Every structure is written in C-alpha cells, then in structure tokens.
Amino acid sequence: MSDALKRDYQLCEEIGRGRFGTVFRCFKPSTGETFACKSIDKTLLTDSTDRQCLETEPKTMLLLSSHPNIVRLHDVYEDETHLHMIMDLCDSKDLYQQISRSPLAENDAGALFTPLMEAIAHCHKRGVCHRDLKPENVLFDRWNRLKLADFGSAEWFGDGERSMSGVVGTPYYVAPEVLEGREYNEKVDVWSAGVILYIMLAGFPPFYGESAVEIFEAVLRGNLRFPTKVFRSVSPMAKDLLRKMICRDVSRRFSAEQVLRHPWILSGGQTRGVTDLT
C-alpha cells in the first residue's frame, strides 16, 4: 500500500469487490470525513484495453467531478501493484437495489431519472461517453443524492466529431449499433438511459432473453413494446419519451439535452393534465 495513502487515510472494512479491485470504506483523520477507496490491482490487468481503462477512469472522473450527480474523485495514489482512488462514499442502496422489487410511480421515477440525465448531459458536454450505463452504476450517498459512477469504460469523443467503436456495455442496456460493430456516438448512453427508465416504470427490461446471446438478438431487433397489463397506468408522455430514447435510428434518437427538454422530464413525472408532447 502507498505510504502516502497510509499517511492520509485509514482504510476500514471492504464494501465492494469487482473484477480488478476492491472498494473499502476509509477515514481521513485530518478532517474526520469518510470516503470510499477503490483499490485496483494492476497485476490483474492482462491486456491493453484493461490497462487503458486504468488510465482513463481517474482522468475522466477529474474532468467530470464538478457535477453534483457524479461521484467525485478526491485523491489518487499509486504504488507498484495498485492504483488507489479516493471517492465519494455512496453506501446507500444503488438504483438496481431500489427498483428490483417493483416498478416505480411516474413521479418517483421522474425524481430519480432527471438528475441521472443531468449527469449524462454533463458528461456529453465535456466530451465523455459513459458507455456502461446501468442501474448498478447509479449510486446514492448518505444524503440520498444520486451519483453516477464507474467510468472505467468511458471514452472521450472530443467535440462530437469523433466516433467510437468497440463492444462495451452490459447486455440489457447496450445500444444496437454497438452490437452491430458499427462506429457510434454518445447517443448510445441515451439508449441505455431509456432502458433504465423503462425498467423503472415496468419492473422488467424492454429486451430480454435466457442468455446474453438471446438478449443481444432482442436488442438488435429493437421491437419496443408496452404490454398493456403493465403500461396501462403509464402516461402517454412517458411512453413518448421512451420511444424517442430507445430508437434504433440514431439520427432520430434524442440527445441527452433533448431528453431534459421533454415535457415528461420538465413536469418531473407529474403527468396529470399534461398532454403536450411537442
């Protein structure tokens, strides 16, 4: 462990574990504050893509940390075997845990989805595409503030002229153009966010299967449906927004800024008496 890290922070119990590292609760004696320490084992990074992620994540987080709905990076330490990132502590239930039992009412979904889209729009304004949006990467701090996390798969697209490539993401949430092996732009995040909203309102994903291959096939078909039994109580305005986010035609798919200007977002999911879908 880095001597500088041991000098500045006290590492406490493990609170999470991933493919390449472990997350610990940590304490800063000089201020009395608690944080999360993500410790990545560099010896497990066997290919160039993994090593690139190691370089990308802290740089991306530093670029985006000013936004209140993005996990903030406070310090970075590195030694021979590990990279340690000191971040906001988000030890409340993540979005997946909050929505896995039952769908949300529209106003509750709106209250969560709006800050998520504001975080995504902030990323896109800074030229960053997250590329792995899913409920497990939407965290909450002790004050229940939403925090977008995990930028290990993020890609910089600069001024919007540069397209991206590479199959990145999680089966239920990945956009079809990614699976097709085509070049793509930051609107892949909008597709993924639309899938998250669909799950919030329905309690299940729009495209599913018994295996990753079956899920990918359903995503590629892109046949968006709103089963009457479930969506009877969902407003036309919410369904309109979903159609404009989960849209196979990328040229017609909304941008993050367009999503934030949609009436459903502007109403905070309070749809009673609101019928304008322009």
Side-chain angles (χ1 to χ4, degrees):
M1 185 187 299
S2 161
D3 290 337
L5 174 62
K6 288 191 287 187
R7 181 191 65 226
D8 297 338
Y9 294 91
Q10 292 179 4
L11 262 59
C12 306
E13 74 274 17
E14 178 183 323
I15 56 175
R17 185 175 286 268
R19 211 162 37 120
F20 301 122
T22 307
V23 181
F24 301 93
R25 188 189 308 272
C26 66
F27 175 70
K28 189 172 187 179
S30 63
T31 64
E33 296 173 285
T34 53
F35 299 93
C37 176
K38 183 176 182 179
S39 295
I40 299 172
D41 187 343
K42 295 189 291 185
T43 65
L44 298 177
L45 307 177
T46 55
D47 61 44
S48 58
T49 301
D50 293 336
R51 288 191 292 273
Q52 181 64 37
C53 290
L54 183 71
E55 295 177 8
T56 299
E57 187 168 12
K59 291 178 182 178
T60 303
M61 292 185 70
L62 283 172
L63 178 66
L64 301 172
S65 277
S66 62
H67 196 277
N69 297 116
I70 292 176
V71 168
R72 183 179 177 188
L73 181 64
H74 296 271
D75 281 308
V76 179
Y77 300 88
E78 189 167 6
D79 54 43
E80 289 185 4
T81 59
H82 286 77
L83 178 76
H84 309 279
M85 294 186 289
I86 307 297
M87 303 180 292
D88 290 338
L89 177 63
C90 297
D91 53 358
S92 298
K93 289 181 179 179
D94 63 34
L95 183 59
Y96 177 79
Q97 292 168 322
Q98 293 195 25
I99 66 176
S100 58
R101 291 186 177 181
S102 62
L104 302 178
E106 281 192 50
N107 59 332
D108 293 332
L112 293 174
F113 194 68
T114 298
L116 174 59
M117 285 309 309
E118 288 172 346
I120 294 167
H122 177 75
C123 293
H124 293 178
K125 284 178 190 174
R126 296 294 188 275
V128 173
C129 182
H130 188 284
R131 299 205 302 172
D132 193 20
L133 291 173
K134 55 185 177 182
E136 293 92 331
N137 288 338
V138 181
L139 310 181
F140 296 87
D141 65 16
R142 71 193 70 182
W143 297 280
N144 209 34
R145 290 179 301 205
L146 181 144
K147 299 277 186 175
L148 179 58
D150 198 347
F151 288 85
S153 299
E155 180 77 17
W156 186 75
F157 61 89
D159 56 8
E161 296 298 318
R162 180 184 166 202
S163 58
M164 292 164 278
S165 61
V167 179
V168 178
T170 302
Y172 287 118
Y173 308 96
V174 68
E177 61 267 28
V178 176
L179 297 175
E180 289 168 346
R182 295 190 279 129
E183 292 189 334
Y184 50 84
N185 62 24
E186 70 276 13
K187 285 187 179 180
V188 297
D189 283 348
V190 176
W191 174 286
S192 301
V195 173
I196 292 172
L197 178 57
Y198 187 105
I199 294 171
M200 283 181 174
L201 296 172
F204 53 83
F207 312 111
Y208 49 89
E210 295 299 319
S211 65
V213 171
E214 288 184 8
I215 296 167
F216 288 153
E217 289 173 349
V219 170
L220 288 168
R221 287 193 296 272
N223 186 11
L224 183 63
R225 295 180 176 177
F226 300 108
T228 304
K229 185 176 180 181
V230 175
F231 278 89
R232 183 182 293 112
S233 59
V234 174
S235 70
M237 190 159 39
K239 287 183 276 193
D240 178 75
L241 177 57
L242 287 168
R243 288 189 190 97
K244 289 170 177 171
M245 296 181 72
I246 310 175
C247 176
R248 275 191 56 86
D249 185 343
V250 179
S251 67
R252 292 175 54 238
R253 189 184 307 162
F254 267 16
S255 68
E257 288 292 342
Q258 286 175 305
V259 172
L260 289 172
R261 293 195 297 268
H262 189 274
W264 189 82
I265 293 288
L266 295 175
S267 72
Q270 302 285 349
T271 57
R272 186 170 297 176
V274 183
T275 57
D276 181 17
L277 298 180
T278 59

